[in-house]
């Protein structure tokens, strides 16, 4: 499975960005999907995950009510809508996939991720 993320860029605080990730080379409906991020000097951290049907989602407390994960199984894509961005959201954002599994488990254990995208940089200026 290959994951190609896009949509990163530079935005002012309070602005919005939408990240997208397209999966190829596998059966998208078998993949639990997620977004993680790594800020400068910090470890990679969970942002949001979504189950295979797109029904159940989990978001980190730091992004709840601001970010929303969604997926389109017909287009093999997962998206992350990011609103009210803050400078502390600056990071490289990674798309991730786990074959089968659950959204909750994927969010709590990165070691269980089967595939990672290359990442897309989001920079939020103050």
């Amino acid at each position: 499975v290959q994951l190609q993320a896009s949509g990163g860029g530079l935005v002012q605080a309070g602005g919005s960005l939408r990240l997208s990730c397209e999966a190829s080379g596998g059966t998208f409906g078998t993949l639990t999907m997620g977004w993680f991020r790594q800020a400068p000097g910090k470890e990679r951290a969970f942002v949001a995950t979504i189950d295979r049907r797109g029904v159940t989602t989990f978001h980190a407390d730091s992004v709840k009510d601001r970010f929303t994960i969604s997926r389109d199984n017909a287009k093999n894509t997962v998206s992350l809508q990011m609103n009210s961005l803050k400078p502390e959201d600056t990071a490289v954002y990674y798309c991730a996939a786990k074959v089968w599994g659950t959204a909750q488990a994927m969010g709590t254990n990165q070691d269980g991720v089967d595939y990672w995208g290359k990442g897309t940089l989001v920079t939020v200026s103050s």
Side-chain angles (χ1 to χ4, degrees):
V1 174
Q2 292 78 46
L3 303 174
Q4 181 65 51
S6 61
L10 173 64
V11 64
Q12 288 189 331
S16 298
L17 279 176
R18 185 176 180 85
L19 305 183
S20 293
C21 174
E22 182 174 2
S24 60
T27 303
F28 193 67
T30 67
L31 302 176
T32 298
M33 301 297 297
W35 290 96
F36 295 77
R37 68 185 181 185
Q38 187 167 19
K42 295 186 177 181
E43 294 185 351
R44 187 163 53 195
F46 158 69
V47 176
T49 53
I50 187 167
D51 71 350
R52 296 184 299 278
R53 294 182 299 158
V55 174
T56 301
T57 63
F58 291 93
H59 295 78
D61 288 343
S62 59
V63 306
K64 273 181 185 176
D65 300 324
R66 299 189 299 122
F67 293 9
T68 302
I69 189 171
S70 62
R71 67 188 290 162
D72 186 337
N73 284 1
K75 296 182 178 180
N76 292 358
T77 59
V78 61
S79 298
L80 185 69
Q81 178 66 41
M82 305 185 295
N83 299 328
S84 302
L85 282 159
K86 305 175 180 180
E88 52 263 44
D89 294 318
T90 294
V92 176
Y93 283 72
Y94 295 92
C95 178
K98 177 174 177 57
V99 180
W100 300 112
T102 67
Q104 184 174 18
M106 185 179 181
T108 57
N109 181 13
Q110 294 184 40
D111 291 341
V113 171
D114 294 311
Y115 303 99
W116 292 98
K118 287 188 177 180
T120 184
L121 177 62
V122 172
T123 304
V124 184
S125 63
S126 57

